[in-house]
Amino acid sequence: MLARKLFLAAFYTVFLGSVCVCHAAEQPAAPIKPGDHVIATAAASISAGQKTLLTVKPGTELRAIQIRGQWIGVGVQYQGKNVLGWVHVTKLARKAAVKEPTAEETALRDRQYEAYYYRARTYAERGDYDKAVADLSKAIQLFPGSIRAVQARGIVLHIAGRNDEAIADFTKIIQLDPIAADAYCFRADAYSYSKSEGASDRAIADYTKAIQLNPRLGEAYQGRGVVCLRIGFLQKALADFNDAIRLDPKDHRAYERRSSLHQRNGNFAEALADVTRAIELVPQADGYYCVRGDFYRQSSQFDKAIADYSRAIQLNPNYARAHRGRGVVHSEMGHVQEALADFSEAIRIDPKDDRAYGMRSSLHEGNGNFAEAIADISKAMELAAPTADDYWARGSLHQQSSQFDKAIADYSRSIQLNPNHLMAHQSRGLVYLRMRLVHKALADFNEAIRLGPKDATAYWGRSHVEYVLGNVDKAIEDATKSIELAGEDALFYGHRAHLYREHSQLDAAIADYTKAVELKPGIAKVYFDRGRAYMAKREENKAIVDFSQVIRLDPKHSEAYYSRGMAFGMKGERQKALSDMNEAIRLNPKSHWAYSGRARAYSELGETANAEADRAKAKQLQEAEQKMEEGRQ
């Protein structure tokens, strides 16, 4: 965007550089004038520089475009192409049938030309490039030899992104004036944005030609440097930016561009110095503050980054990129509300800013607002061609919001775009596992492991599948591999502990649960599962300690009350057992296990009637649960 603004500045220079009628210096003495139809009086060579483009036969009709001394710039159609070049005046004569315009007609044409030309300038300033091009085309029709109008149209076409058309205009100027350094530079600018094959090489060649014609043309050095930077010729780019600064030590654009090169090379101090120099030269340039803000953000100097982004916004409140950049810094600093405000403002200013939508989506995800997160990332995917990573990210949001069919669809699309997308296979495997589609899950985890043999999560996921399939030994083997790869991770130790407990390897299970507790002390489930392992070993006191910790972490954990009540009952502490069973029932009135446990406590306390009532209630609840389960199947 900054380069386009600078190019537009050059465009205004073209408009303002000459206020006289463009053809005033181009009109020759009689008998031939620009716009005349002329006849070749003998075999005539049409040349450009030292090169002969075409030789025409006597009697061939041509159109005079420009006069330069004894040479006439002409145009002629040849094999479907418009050939432009120079013919010596001695080889041509005016076509007698062409009526010479009167002074009044010439004056009218001059005024029309000027009107179209300067209205085009107004349209261009407003950003209405199509209308500007239309008016400049009409000006060119009035005076085909007007280099000024052709060059201005080429610049507008380039700004509008119509680079192939711009290249054609600049080529026309070069054919008419092969030593026009500016024309080579402008054409190089258009090539530098063209998507055609070999465009970068053509741009460099044109910049080089412009420099040969005018070694002090700083724009050509800078343009060539930008292209070299983009294609990775870093040393050549640095040399060009240095030359541009040598030619004009106050050219702020050259400093800003060299700062980008230093940043790419990892030379933060030099990059910062150059963009700071650019700011010193142009203190009101909002874009430069934004660039420096990016540098500060990348080096984690967040306060300075926010100051620069804020200064850019102060200079230009509608600068979407500055709002987005500041939003990123606020997000990295944990200032969620401030970041949301900045991303939302960037979107208000530029509703097509796909990156702002993507970043706001991430914030919504962090806040657990999955509907908003999905809406934002979907909008971002509408605005920019979605990648495999985009579909994976949205699939993750669908998965977290339990929209499993949509998650599967997004993960599958991600894999379709990139069959080697490890995370998509891994994530789809987890969703298939959740949906009990175990064989599909197994296929995805196998593929994830093939793609990433050192990916711990893929082994962890396959371990779950093997357990569901009844292959406990294989499940333990994969769980062990995940621990080897992940290192100190409570999740993986907790999973293997569960497998050991289910396989009646209680001491190994307790060791893994204990390791998980050491790594992450605040997980209630780990304490609960270790308590159950202690219960299986008839170590009731240790079990009670763990179940009590679960209740401290989660006072509404009904199963912890039930399990602790069972442990108290096994120790013969009947009143404590009854108290815990009462609380378990209060928290979960549909738990047949809690009623069964309380029936046992009542029975041991000799309260037979209460025990019978609870047994009946437990049976009723269990039968209802079985019927519900049968209905699901």
Side-chain angles (χ1 to χ4, degrees), residues 527-541:
Y527 288 103
F528 180 74
D529 288 343
R530 188 173 68 177
R532 293 175 67 188
Y534 280 131
M535 286 283 285
K537 289 189 69 180
R538 298 302 301 267
E539 296 183 23
E540 292 86 0
N541 288 333

Side-chain angles (χ1 to χ4, degrees), residues 194-262:
S194 174
K195 297 184 183 301
S196 62
E197 185 177 355
S200 293
D201 291 339
R202 294 188 184 97
I204 290 174
D206 271 356
Y207 284 129
T208 302
K209 181 65 175 178
I211 290 167
Q212 289 172 354
L213 292 169
N214 181 2
R216 299 195 60 78
L217 188 58
E219 282 294 331
Y221 288 102
Q222 288 195 55
R224 189 172 67 179
V226 169
V227 177
C228 287
L229 175 61
R230 186 169 64 233
I231 63 178
F233 295 166
L234 303 187
Q235 290 304 314
K236 290 182 178 180
L238 179 59
D240 276 339
F241 295 144
N242 287 341
D243 278 335
I245 290 169
R246 174 182 56 79
L247 289 169
D248 184 0
K250 293 186 178 181
D251 190 332
H252 54 94
R253 295 165 299 176
Y255 285 104
E256 187 273 331
R257 288 164 174 170
R258 192 173 69 177
S259 76
S260 297
L261 172 62
H262 286 314

Side-chain angles (χ1 to χ4, degrees), residues 21 30 189 232 299-300 309 389 482 532 617:
V21 177
D189 289 334
S299 62
S300 298
Y309 289 129
D389 285 342
S482 71
R532 293 175 67 188
K617 183 66 174 178

